[in-house]
């Protein structure tokens, strides 16, 4: 199935999920501990007409998937959502950025984890090691790896979850419903061909900013029978 033939064929299916606020988060979930940011961010989300829905299991560690990612604007809605929930989702950044003390403090507050990407295999193992410390950690990744159309996902997130023995928590950004959705966690079995379709299926009906850039796995699930 070609990208061109599916540019405007994303199915719209309403998913009724409960509204999610910071008061719904369990005690084990990593939090920022902010006071002003959640209030301001919740107001921004409401003003923009967006809301956060779904459920987050009360667990201290997970690999969090951010999908679909088709525009730089995605972060404009995703970040206020995270701040409004007061949830801390970390991402990986180049270790060289942390050489400046003041910048390092800011990056740490933002939840960015220093990773040395120069050595092959080091990113995956370093990420697994972060989980192995036992500290609360929700690590956010974008398996599409680009804001443009891609024929497949990068699968490092899956092997990270397997190696760290943590669940995969899918999160969707739906421009049609104006929702940031926390979906059901998937506990990897080690059989990627069995587990990936479970993740794909949860994104059925999700409409990105630019549907023509939707990755092929998500185009396929939207074209397949329910």
């Amino acid at each position: 199935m070609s990208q061109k033939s599916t540019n405007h064929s994303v199915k719209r299916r309403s998913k009724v999920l409960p509204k999610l606020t910071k008061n719904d988060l369990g005690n084990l979930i990593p939090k920022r501990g902010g006071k002003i940011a959640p209030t301001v961010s919740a107001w921004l989300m409401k003003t923009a007409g967006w809301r956060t829905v779904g459920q987050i299991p009360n667990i201290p560690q997970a690999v969090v998937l951010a999908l679909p990612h088709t525009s730089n604007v995605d972060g404009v809605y995703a970040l206020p959502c995270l701040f409004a929930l007061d949830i801390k989702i970390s991402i990986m950044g180049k270790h060289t950025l942390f050489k400046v003390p003041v910048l390092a403090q800011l990056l740490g507050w933002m939840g960015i984890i220093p990773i040395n990407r120069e050595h092959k295999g080091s990113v995956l193992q370093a990420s697994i090691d972060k989980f192995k410390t036992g500290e609360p950690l929700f690590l956010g990744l974008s398996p599409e790896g680009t804001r443009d159309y891609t024929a497949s996902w990068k699968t490092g997130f899956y092997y990270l979850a397997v190696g760290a023995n943590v669940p995969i928590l899918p999160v969707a950004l739906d421009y049609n419903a104006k929702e940031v959705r926390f979906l059901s966690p998937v506990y990897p079995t080690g059989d990627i061909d069995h587990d990936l379709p479970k993740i794909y299926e949860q994104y059925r009906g999700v409409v990105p900013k630019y549907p023509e850039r939707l990755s092929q796995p998500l185009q396929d699930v939207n074209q397949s029978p329910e």
Side-chain angles (χ1 to χ4, degrees):
M1 186 180 303
S2 69
Q3 173 197 2
K4 188 174 182 179
S5 65
T6 57
N7 280 357
H8 304 289
S9 58
V10 176
K11 296 180 181 178
R12 279 130 170 99
R13 187 183 70 171
S14 176
K15 295 184 178 182
V16 181
L17 296 174
K19 185 177 179 180
L20 182 63
T21 71
K22 69 173 185 175
N23 295 327
D24 299 315
L25 270 58
N27 63 310
L28 299 180
I29 296 173
K31 301 181 183 69
R32 293 183 175 276
K35 295 182 179 180
I36 298 177
T39 301
V40 173
S41 297
W43 177 83
L44 289 172
M45 293 285 287
K46 183 177 181 179
T47 301
W50 281 70
R51 65 177 192 153
T52 306
V53 299
Q55 294 180 326
I56 303 177
N58 190 23
I59 52 177
Q61 296 185 330
V63 171
V64 180
L65 302 187
L67 294 156
H69 183 34
T70 64
S71 168
N72 284 326
V73 179
D74 294 343
V76 173
Y77 302 108
L79 290 178
C81 155
L82 300 182
F83 284 127
L85 290 178
D86 197 36
I87 189 172
K88 184 177 183 180
I89 297 182
S90 301
I91 60 175
M92 294 181 292
K94 292 182 179 180
H95 69 291
T96 53
L97 296 174
F98 288 77
K99 292 183 177 181
V100 180
V102 175
L103 180 58
Q105 289 184 341
L106 175 62
L107 295 175
W109 177 82
M110 293 174 63
I112 298 177
I113 299 174
I115 292 290
N116 189 337
R117 302 175 183 271
E118 295 177 358
H119 304 292
K120 185 177 180 180
S122 63
V123 174
L124 176 59
Q125 188 56 53
S127 300
I128 291 175
D129 291 342
K130 289 289 183 182
F131 281 107
K132 293 298 185 181
T133 65
E135 294 295 321
L137 175 61
F138 274 20
L139 183 61
L141 298 172
S142 180
E144 291 165 318
T146 176
R147 292 183 298 276
D148 295 319
Y149 166 83
T150 182
S152 61
W153 288 6
K154 296 180 182 295
T155 55
F157 77 91
Y158 182 83
Y159 295 107
L160 168 57
V162 171
N165 193 30
V166 298
I168 298 167
L169 180 60
V171 179
L173 193 68
D174 190 325
Y175 280 81
N176 187 53
K178 288 191 173 182
E179 289 180 346
V180 176
R181 297 180 189 154
F182 283 82
L183 305 170
S184 300
V186 173
Y187 290 81
T189 63
D191 184 347
I192 190 170
D193 293 328
H194 177 266
D195 294 337
L196 276 185
K198 295 180 181 178
I199 299 174
Y200 296 154
E201 179 61 32
Q202 295 198 60
Y203 288 90
R204 181 187 293 272
V206 172
V207 181
K209 176 71 172 174
Y210 298 111
E212 66 273 13
R213 297 180 184 177
L214 194 65
S215 62
Q216 194 62 50
L218 298 190
Q219 288 192 21
D220 291 342
V221 79
N222 277 300
Q223 292 297 314
S224 65
E226 294 187 36

